[in-house]
């Protein structure tokens, strides 16, 4: 790491035990759930069955009280209630955009707040979830990057966002009902606040829960993790999560990427591309999504488009062009539409899908990169943002 790279990782993850209370069962993997049940009086012989039953109540039926777990004996329900809780984030506010996008502000332990966005589409619904309160990285075009990192989310707080969204959507399917295709919440993207690969273990555990065939049961093909390029964690993501990967690429030279995505000073474009080459094979996914934010006069020339094609040669890829979403004090402008279209055409003609992402929920500041909890007021000054952007 260069001395100036603004990257820190001294994060604090809350223990699973709530500050002065019982253990939260939400976010424990099956193994961890088994361990805590045994440690708190469930006979070892029964543990597997109890894990299965409790799992189904929490993740398949959306139950939050042990008293509702009717296939467990009453004294056992009471024992559980004495020692454990089923706790999810609390919705502080919900805004609904004219286009149907829903933005939730959720409060987690310690009084911190994170945002979660639900984006309905014709044939599916995507939940954009957060992995950290704020972000240690300082991408100069991203609103979250102006918020100081407060802490990593626990696995319970990450998967809890999914449970809460399902509550709001009224979507707790009957057991045995068809999965995925007919769902309101059919996809998850880790594109909210934070850098998911700087909170690897909790993100992995939460996504394992989302993919478990007996619970929320989303296919790994319906989960996309977006990273700014934490190179050492990319191989681990392929091996231990196996979800779809999106890379915040955003520039075609190290000089420009250093300014837009400062983690590039730690792992540059060549190192990042190297790490990506093996991802599709190891994770058995078809292709990697390259996200490319369109910033007027910064990274949007035809030459950039051609350089991009050259760089990613040999990597199965799709390029997702994101029109820049402005936020108060942002130091960039969105590229003009005909420029974005011309850029997309060059990529498309080279044989890559090049969809232009439709900004959703702009009227409620729910679009990509606009998330920043309103109560976290520790904003950097406009001057500081511009200095970091090298402007
Ligand atoms: N930290 C992760 C995931 C969260 S950001 C990452 O950086 O990949 C999700 C996506 O939104 C990223 O591609 C990010 O670069 C992009 N983004 C951030 N701010 C944006 C903005 N103001 N307009 C458009 N896209 C933005
Ligand atoms: Fe963090 Fe991603 Fe925003 Fe960069 S783009 S500051 S990594 S949330």
């Amino acid at each position: 790491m260069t001395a100036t790279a603004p990257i820190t990782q001294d994060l604090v993850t809350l223990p699973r035990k709530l500050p002065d209370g019982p253990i939260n069962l939400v976010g424990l993997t099956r193994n961890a759930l088994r361990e805590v049940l045994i440690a708190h009086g469930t006979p070892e012989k029964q543990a597997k069955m109890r894990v299965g039953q409790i799992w189904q109540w929490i993740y398949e039926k959306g139950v939050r009280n042990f008293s509702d777990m009717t296939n467990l004996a009453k004294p056992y329900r009471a024992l559980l209630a004495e020692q454990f809780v089923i706790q999810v984030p609390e919705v502080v506010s919900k805004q609904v955009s004219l286009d149907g996008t829903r933005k939730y502000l959720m409060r987690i332990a310690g009084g911190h707040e994170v945002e979660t966005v639900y984006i309905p589409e014709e044939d599916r619904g995507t939940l954009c979830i957060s992995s950290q309160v704020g972000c240690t990285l300082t991408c100069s075009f991203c609103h979250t990057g102006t918020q100081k990192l407060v802490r990593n989310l626990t696995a319970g707080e990450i998967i809890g966002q999914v449970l809460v969204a399902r509550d709001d959507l009224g979507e707790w399917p009957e057991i045995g009902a068809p999965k995925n295709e007919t769902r309101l919440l059919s996809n998850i993207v880790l594109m909210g606040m934070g850098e998911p690969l700087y909170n690897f273990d909790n993100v992995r555990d939460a996504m394992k829960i989302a993919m478990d065939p007996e619970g929320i049961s989303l296919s790994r093909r319906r989960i996309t993790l977006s990273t700014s390029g934490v190179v050492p964690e990319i191989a681990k993501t392929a091996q231990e999560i196996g979800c779809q990967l999106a890379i915040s690429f955003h520039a075609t030279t190290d000089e420009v990427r250093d300014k837009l995505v400062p983690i590039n000073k730690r792992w540059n474009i060549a190192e990042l591309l190297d790490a990506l080459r093996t991802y599709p094979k190891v994770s058995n996914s078809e292709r990697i999504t390259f996200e490319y934010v369109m910033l007027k006069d910064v990274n949007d020339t035809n030459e950039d488009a051609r350089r991009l094609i050259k760089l990613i040669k040999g990597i199965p890829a799709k390029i997702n062009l994101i029109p820049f979403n402005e936020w108060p004090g942002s130091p960039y402008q969105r590229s003009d539409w005909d420029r974005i279209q011309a850029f997309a055409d060059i990529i498309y003609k080279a044989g890559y899908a090049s969809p232009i992402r439709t900004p959703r929920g702009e009227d409620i500041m729910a679009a990509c990169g606009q998330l920043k909890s309103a109560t976290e007021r520790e904003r950097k000054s406009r001057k500081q943002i511009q200095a970091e952007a090298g402007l």
Side-chain angles (χ1 to χ4, degrees), residues 141-142 191-192 194-195 226-227 248 250 291 322 324-325 327 368-369:
F141 54 90
C142 173
M191 293 186 187
E195 169 47 62
S226 174
T227 178
S248 293
H250 305 321
E291 297 165 285
I322 316 175
F324 174 59
N325 296 309
W327 35 271
C368 249

Side-chain angles (χ1 to χ4, degrees), residues 135 137-139 142 144-145 192 194-195 228:
C135 189
L137 301 175
T138 51
C139 303
C142 173
T144 311
E195 169 47 62
S228 56

Side-chain angles (χ1 to χ4, degrees), residues 310-323:
K310 262 199 191 154
L311 284 170
I312 64 172
K313 197 161 184 253
I315 302 175
K318 154 176 147 189
I319 290 97
N320 207 330
L321 299 178
I322 316 175

Side-chain angles (χ1 to χ4, degrees), residues 49-187:
M49 184 169 77
R50 299 291 173 237
V51 166
Q53 288 168 319
I54 295 168
W55 190 274
Q56 210 173 40
W57 283 114
I58 298 177
Y59 298 112
E60 206 154 49
K61 299 183 187 170
V63 156
R64 303 285 152 72
N65 292 307
F66 294 104
S67 56
D68 294 333
M69 299 186 175
T70 48
N71 58 355
L72 301 178
K74 276 195 179 152
Y76 186 60
R77 285 186 238 167
L79 181 79
L80 293 175
E82 269 170 30
Q83 310 176 81
F84 306 118
V85 286
I86 301 168
Q87 197 180 62
V88 294
E90 177 198 347
V91 178
V92 180
S93 69
K94 170 181 145 187
Q95 286 171 278
V96 182
S97 157
L98 291 172
D99 69 15
T101 299
R102 303 180 188 197
K103 182 168 86 170
Y104 308 96
L105 182 64
M106 299 201 194
R107 184 173 296 138
I108 56 173
H112 304 301
E113 289 169 353
V114 289
E115 291 183 328
T116 306
V117 177
Y118 173 72
I119 307 144
E121 282 166 281
E122 230 168 72
D123 56 344
R124 62 179 166 175
T126 300
L127 193 70
C128 177
I129 61 179
S130 293
S131 56
Q132 301 183 308
V133 183
C135 189
T136 40
L137 301 175
T138 51
C139 303
S140 50
F141 54 90
C142 173
H143 203 203
T144 311
T146 68
Q147 180 181 327
K148 240 174 112 175
L149 178 98
V150 184
R151 72 167 168 85
N152 274 340
L153 265 57
T154 63
E157 289 159 350
I158 298 170
I159 198 66
Q161 296 169 63
V162 178
L163 303 185
V164 168
R166 287 189 115 188
D167 288 348
D168 187 51
L169 295 165
E171 185 176 56
W172 285 106
E174 295 292 314
I175 288 182
K179 288 173 179 159
N180 290 338
E181 285 71 17
T182 55
R183 290 210 198 161
L184 293 173
L185 198 170
S186 62
N187 293 62

